Amino acid sequence: MHPTDTDPLDIHPGPAANLTLDWDLVACNAQWRAIFTGLCAGENLLQWLFSSPHARQLPEWRSTARHMLLWYVDGQLSNGGNGHALAALRPLATTNRAIRSLLTDTDAAEVEIVFSQGAAIEVPDPGTGSVTSYRFDPISLVESGPVAYYTIQGTACEA
């Protein structure tokens, strides 16, 4: 399978995407695009989370951002990414109190939950306003030529 192939992603009933180790979006399905509005192929999920006004529309942006940041760091430590998304966030972190406080507010128990269970994101339905909580997990780590990428899937869970 080529990382840009969306057929396997479209089969998943929830949001799914292929991301590089540094969380650059390679391909995604329609459900992913509905949640991560404005994130395009080649762009970075972590940068989107901290710089896109669309990201701030997630109902629990603060906990989502903290969990995703922890999950990213865990993936970097586990799989050898080069951390370019964190480097790109450095200028924001020095001027943005929200990013600094996210890390300050995190306790060891929360880190363990994110590392063992993946990151949870609450997503509003634009039509009804009801909120669905998705737990995102890396399903596979695949090397395709010089590029390694994750296939990430979100599964609806109890909020």
Side-chain angles (χ1 to χ4, degrees):
M1 175 179 93
H2 193 272
T4 60
D5 183 7
T6 60
D7 289 341
L9 303 174
D10 291 335
I11 293 170
H12 184 64
N18 290 335
L19 302 173
T20 67
L21 293 180
D22 287 312
W23 285 21
D24 295 328
L25 180 63
V26 178
C28 63
N29 65 10
Q31 294 92 330
W32 180 278
R33 284 189 299 278
I35 294 170
F36 301 101
T37 305
L39 178 65
C40 299
E43 294 179 345
N44 187 272
L45 175 59
L46 204 57
Q47 291 171 352
W48 174 89
L49 187 61
F50 287 99
S51 63
S52 171
H54 297 291
R56 297 294 179 128
Q57 294 174 5
L58 294 170
E60 294 292 330
W61 176 85
R62 187 172 179 76
S63 64
T64 296
R66 184 171 52 245
H67 292 172
M68 296 294 274
L69 185 57
L70 290 169
W71 196 35
Y72 175 82
V73 169
D74 181 49
Q76 291 292 298
L77 295 172
S78 301
N79 299 306
N82 70 22
H84 90 264
L86 284 178
L89 286 176
R90 190 170 292 120
L92 282 175
T94 59
T95 60
N96 188 328
R97 273 187 261 164
I99 295 173
R100 288 193 311 270
S101 70
L102 283 176
L103 298 176
T104 303
D105 293 347
T106 304
D107 63 25
E110 185 175 24
V111 170
E112 285 305 313
I113 290 170
V114 171
F115 285 6
S116 65
Q117 298 177 14
I121 296 179
E122 292 187 355
V123 180
D125 181 301
T128 66
S130 65
V131 174
T132 302
S133 183
Y134 287 96
R135 174 97 29 215
F136 286 86
D137 295 305
I139 301 305
S140 62
L141 178 62
V142 177
E143 292 190 31
S144 177
V147 177
Y149 66 94
Y150 296 104
T151 296
I152 305 224
Q153 296 178 344
T155 304
C157 58
E158 299 285 323

Tab-separated table of all heavy atoms in Angstrom, residues 125-146:
chain	number	residue	atom	x	y	z
A	125	ASP	N	-20.786	17.641	16.493
A	125	ASP	CA	-21.479	17.444	15.218
A	125	ASP	C	-22.015	18.802	14.802
A	125	ASP	O	-22.791	19.417	15.542
A	125	ASP	CB	-22.625	16.446	15.402
A	125	ASP	CG	-23.372	16.187	14.105
A	125	ASP	OD1	-23.909	17.162	13.515
A	125	ASP	OD2	-23.418	15.027	13.683
A	126	PRO	N	-21.596	19.314	13.625
A	126	PRO	CA	-22.014	20.669	13.245
A	126	PRO	C	-23.526	20.805	13.104
A	126	PRO	O	-24.075	21.873	13.321
A	126	PRO	CB	-21.316	20.928	11.905
A	126	PRO	CG	-20.523	19.722	11.588
A	126	PRO	CD	-20.720	18.700	12.652
A	127	GLY	N	-24.204	19.717	12.753
A	127	GLY	CA	-25.656	19.783	12.557
A	127	GLY	C	-26.441	19.753	13.850
A	127	GLY	O	-27.386	20.519	14.036
A	128	THR	N	-26.058	18.882	14.782
A	128	THR	CA	-26.845	18.689	15.999
A	128	THR	C	-26.230	19.335	17.238
A	128	THR	O	-26.915	19.555	18.219
A	128	THR	CB	-27.015	17.186	16.298
A	128	THR	OG1	-25.728	16.627	16.617
A	128	THR	CG2	-27.627	16.448	15.117
A	129	GLY	N	-24.917	19.560	17.194
A	129	GLY	CA	-24.235	20.105	18.361
A	129	GLY	C	-23.840	19.036	19.366
A	129	GLY	O	-23.149	19.321	20.338
A	130	SER	N	-24.299	17.793	19.156
A	130	SER	CA	-23.905	16.723	20.081
A	130	SER	C	-22.416	16.438	19.917
A	130	SER	O	-21.832	16.668	18.860
A	130	SER	CB	-24.718	15.454	19.825
A	130	SER	OG	-24.437	14.935	18.546
A	131	VAL	N	-21.805	15.948	20.979
A	131	VAL	CA	-20.361	15.738	20.986
A	131	VAL	C	-20.060	14.241	21.023
A	131	VAL	O	-20.645	13.502	21.800
A	131	VAL	CB	-19.716	16.437	22.205
A	131	VAL	CG1	-18.240	16.120	22.311
A	131	VAL	CG2	-19.926	17.944	22.109
A	132	THR	N	-19.137	13.819	20.156
A	132	THR	CA	-18.649	12.445	20.149
A	132	THR	C	-17.187	12.463	20.572
A	132	THR	O	-16.416	13.306	20.113
A	132	THR	CB	-18.760	11.819	18.741
A	132	THR	OG1	-20.126	11.862	18.328
A	132	THR	CG2	-18.261	10.384	18.738
A	133	SER	N	-16.825	11.550	21.439
A	133	SER	CA	-15.438	11.429	21.861
A	133	SER	C	-14.790	10.306	21.054
A	133	SER	O	-15.325	9.208	20.970
A	133	SER	CB	-15.369	11.119	23.355
A	133	SER	OG	-14.033	11.064	23.780
A	134	TYR	N	-13.656	10.612	20.437
A	134	TYR	CA	-12.891	9.626	19.669
A	134	TYR	C	-11.575	9.366	20.380
A	134	TYR	O	-10.922	10.294	20.854
A	134	TYR	CB	-12.583	10.126	18.254
A	134	TYR	CG	-13.769	10.145	17.337
A	134	TYR	CD1	-14.498	11.303	17.143
A	134	TYR	CD2	-14.153	8.993	16.655
A	134	TYR	CE1	-15.588	11.327	16.294
A	134	TYR	CE2	-15.250	9.009	15.806
A	134	TYR	CZ	-15.965	10.177	15.628
A	134	TYR	OH	-17.040	10.202	14.795
A	135	ARG	N	-11.186	8.121	20.441
A	135	ARG	CA	-9.871	7.738	20.952
A	135	ARG	C	-9.033	7.407	19.724
A	135	ARG	O	-9.413	6.565	18.916
A	135	ARG	CB	-9.989	6.533	21.883
A	135	ARG	CG	-8.696	6.001	22.342
A	135	ARG	CD	-8.175	6.417	23.684
A	135	ARG	NE	-9.089	6.763	24.732
A	135	ARG	CZ	-8.836	7.710	25.628
A	135	ARG	NH1	-7.710	8.387	25.587
A	135	ARG	NH2	-9.686	8.002	26.566
A	136	PHE	N	-7.910	8.105	19.550
A	136	PHE	CA	-7.042	7.904	18.391
A	136	PHE	C	-5.881	6.999	18.756
A	136	PHE	O	-5.216	7.203	19.765
A	136	PHE	CB	-6.521	9.242	17.860
A	136	PHE	CG	-7.581	10.005	17.121
A	136	PHE	CD1	-8.457	10.824	17.789
A	136	PHE	CD2	-7.712	9.862	15.761
A	136	PHE	CE1	-9.450	11.507	17.113
A	136	PHE	CE2	-8.692	10.547	15.065
A	136	PHE	CZ	-9.571	11.372	15.748
A	137	ASP	N	-5.662	5.999	17.935
A	137	ASP	CA	-4.589	5.030	18.171
A	137	ASP	C	-3.810	4.797	16.884
A	137	ASP	O	-4.396	4.731	15.805
A	137	ASP	CB	-5.170	3.680	18.619
A	137	ASP	CG	-5.857	3.772	19.960
A	137	ASP	OD1	-5.202	4.221	20.913
A	137	ASP	OD2	-7.040	3.404	20.045
A	138	PRO	N	-2.493	4.642	16.993
A	138	PRO	CA	-1.719	4.235	15.813
A	138	PRO	C	-1.963	2.747	15.573
A	138	PRO	O	-1.745	1.926	16.446
A	138	PRO	CB	-0.269	4.513	16.216
A	138	PRO	CG	-0.274	4.480	17.706
A	138	PRO	CD	-1.649	4.868	18.152
A	139	ILE	N	-2.458	2.424	14.393
A	139	ILE	CA	-2.781	1.047	14.048
A	139	ILE	C	-1.559	0.322	13.507
A	139	ILE	O	-1.343	-0.847	13.767
A	139	ILE	CB	-3.930	1.005	13.006
A	139	ILE	CG1	-5.167	1.708	13.581
A	139	ILE	CG2	-4.249	-0.408	12.581
A	139	ILE	CD1	-5.644	1.170	14.915
A	140	SER	N	-0.752	1.050	12.752
A	140	SER	CA	0.438	0.414	12.187
A	140	SER	C	1.509	1.462	11.938
A	140	SER	O	1.231	2.644	11.822
A	140	SER	CB	0.084	-0.299	10.881
A	140	SER	OG	-0.393	0.633	9.919
A	141	LEU	N	2.729	0.984	11.870
A	141	LEU	CA	3.869	1.809	11.486
A	141	LEU	C	4.473	1.114	10.279
A	141	LEU	O	4.892	-0.039	10.357
A	141	LEU	CB	4.876	1.901	12.626
A	141	LEU	CG	6.150	2.701	12.348
A	141	LEU	CD1	5.820	4.159	12.045
A	141	LEU	CD2	7.097	2.617	13.527
A	142	VAL	N	4.464	1.799	9.145
A	142	VAL	CA	4.866	1.187	7.877
A	142	VAL	C	6.000	1.995	7.264
A	142	VAL	O	5.981	3.224	7.305
A	142	VAL	CB	3.668	1.153	6.892
A	142	VAL	CG1	4.074	0.599	5.548
A	142	VAL	CG2	2.509	0.371	7.482
A	143	GLU	N	6.970	1.309	6.703
A	143	GLU	CA	8.016	1.989	5.942
A	143	GLU	C	7.722	1.813	4.465
A	143	GLU	O	7.525	0.693	3.995
A	143	GLU	CB	9.384	1.433	6.308
A	143	GLU	CG	9.760	1.795	7.729
A	143	GLU	CD	11.201	1.470	8.057
A	143	GLU	OE1	12.052	1.534	7.147
A	143	GLU	OE2	11.460	1.164	9.222
A	144	SER	N	7.654	2.913	3.752
A	144	SER	CA	7.392	2.903	2.317
A	144	SER	C	8.519	3.681	1.652
A	144	SER	O	8.501	4.906	1.620
A	144	SER	CB	6.037	3.545	2.021
A	144	SER	OG	5.808	3.600	0.626
A	145	GLY	N	9.518	2.964	1.180
A	145	GLY	CA	10.700	3.628	0.647
A	145	GLY	C	11.411	4.347	1.772
A	145	GLY	O	11.551	3.807	2.874
A	146	PRO	N	11.782	5.607	1.554
A	146	PRO	CA	12.508	6.336	2.597
A	146	PRO	C	11.605	6.921	3.685
A	146	PRO	O	12.081	7.483	4.648
A	146	PRO	CB	13.194	7.458	1.806
A	146	PRO	CG	12.277	7.706	0.656
A	146	PRO	CD	11.702	6.345	0.305
